[in-house]
Amino acid sequence: QSALTQPPSASGSPGQSVTISCTGTSSDVGGWNYVAWYQQHPGKAPKVMIYEVSKRPSGVPDRFSGSKSGNTASLTVSGLQGEDEADYYCCSYGGSMNFVIFGGGTKLTVL
Amino acid sequence: QVNLRQSGPGLVKSSQTLSLTCAISGDSVSSTSAAWNWIRQSPSRGLEWLGRTYYRSKWHSDYAVDVKSRITINADTSQNQFSLQVNSVTPDDTAVYYCAREFGGVATGTFDPWGQGTLVTVSS
C-alpha cells in the first residue's frame, strides 16, 4: 500500500482560498467515497475536518470543503485565517483487506 | 462525548515488546457501529495506520501488512478499553502512537476522536 500523494507545502494570505490535492489510484481514492482530511497543529492529535469526501463534522467551519475528481481528492480552505496554519493529511480506504492509507501531509502557511 | 485516554511506557528497549492501552469513555468497545484503531506518526513514515479491532457478532482484527507479523490489538470488554502490542521492536518503531475510533463503518478512514498520543522511544 503506497501513501497518497500530497504537495509538501501550500500557502495563502488571510482571506484567500487555498486548495490541497491528494492523489491516489482507482483502487483507493478513485474507487470509493471514503476520503477524509485531517488538520494537525504542532504537538496535537489530528482532527477530522472532512469525511466521506465532502461531509463536514459538526463544529468544523464551512470554510472547509472537500471534493473528488477521478483519483484525486481536494480540500479547499476559503477565507483563510491564521488559525488554519497547520499540517493537513488526507486518508482513504485502501481498497483491499480493510486497509486505510494516509497522504504524506501538506504544511499550510498563512502568509 | 467520546474520549480516549492512552497509557503505557514511553521507553522500550530494542527486541522487547511495546504495550499501550486506550481507555474509552462515552462509547463501548463492543459497539457495532465503531472500530478501534492504532495509528503511529514519525518524521520518516508520516501517519501510518497499524490496525484495528471491532465487534460485529464476533471480534475481528485487521492489521497493516508491514507490521502484521509483529502486532496484536485486543479488546477488553470488562475495562472498556483496547490495547496494542508490538513485538521485537527496533529503533525504527520510535513514533508517537495514537488510538482512535473509526466511525461510519470499517475502513472508512474517518477517525474521531483520537487519543492524546504517546511518544514511544525504542532504545538500541
Side-chain angles (χ1 to χ4, degrees):
Chain A
Q1 296 287 324
S2 300
L4 305 174
T5 300
Q6 297 182 235
S9 63
S11 63
S13 299
Q16 290 187 331
S17 294
V18 64
T19 297
I20 299 171
S21 62
C22 169
T23 301
T25 70
S26 58
S27 296
D28 39 65
V29 173
W32 313 87
N33 287 325
Y34 289 125
V35 177
W37 288 91
Y38 295 89
Q39 176 191 67
Q40 186 178 34
H41 288 110
K44 301 293 187 182
K47 172 188 175 184
V48 63
M49 306 302 283
I50 296 289
Y51 68 101
E52 293 179 14
V53 176
S54 59
K55 296 180 180 179
R56 204 169 38 249
S58 174
V60 172
D62 60 6
R63 303 184 292 103
F64 291 85
S65 62
S67 63
K68 189 183 79 168
S69 177
N71 298 336
T72 298
S74 298
L75 172 72
T76 297
V77 186
S78 306
L80 272 174
Q81 300 182 4
E83 66 206 52
D84 300 332
E85 186 163 293
D87 293 327
Y88 291 84
Y89 296 89
C90 60
C91 178
S92 170
Y93 169 57
S96 65
M97 303 291 286
N98 283 342
F99 290 162
V100 165
I101 50 176
F102 286 93
T106 298
K107 182 176 182 60
L108 174 61
T109 301
V110 180
L111 302 171
Chain B
Q1 182 182 359
V2 180
N3 282 300
L4 303 178
R5 173 63 59 182
Q6 299 175 217
S7 59
L11 183 63
V12 183
K13 294 182 179 179
S14 283
S15 78
Q16 295 191 342
T17 298
L18 179 163
S19 296
L20 296 173
T21 299
C22 184
I24 303 164
S25 59
D27 201 347
S28 170
V29 72
S30 301
S31 169
T32 56
S33 60
W36 305 96
N37 292 252
W38 287 97
I39 296 161
R40 68 182 177 184
Q41 185 175 30
S42 65
S44 59
R45 295 175 175 268
L47 282 168
E48 179 184 17
W49 174 78
L50 297 177
R52 67 170 71 82
T53 189
Y54 55 100
Y55 185 76
R56 303 288 188 272
S57 300
K58 67 176 184 178
W59 288 100
H60 301 266
S61 293
D62 302 319
Y63 300 121
V65 170
D66 288 353
V67 295
K68 184 174 184 177
S69 64
R70 297 193 295 127
I71 80 168
T72 304
I73 297 175
N74 285 322
D76 180 348
T77 56
S78 65
Q79 298 292 320
N80 201 31
Q81 63 187 25
F82 63 108
S83 62
L84 169 71
Q85 286 194 326
V86 183
N87 301 321
S88 305
V89 296
T90 70
D92 193 44
D93 292 308
T94 294
V96 176
Y97 286 75
Y98 292 101
C99 61
R101 182 185 70 163
E102 187 174 28
F103 68 87
V106 176
T108 62
T110 305
F111 300 109
D112 181 64
W114 295 58
Q116 79 274 22
T118 301
L119 173 59
V120 179
T121 300
V122 178
S123 61
S124 55

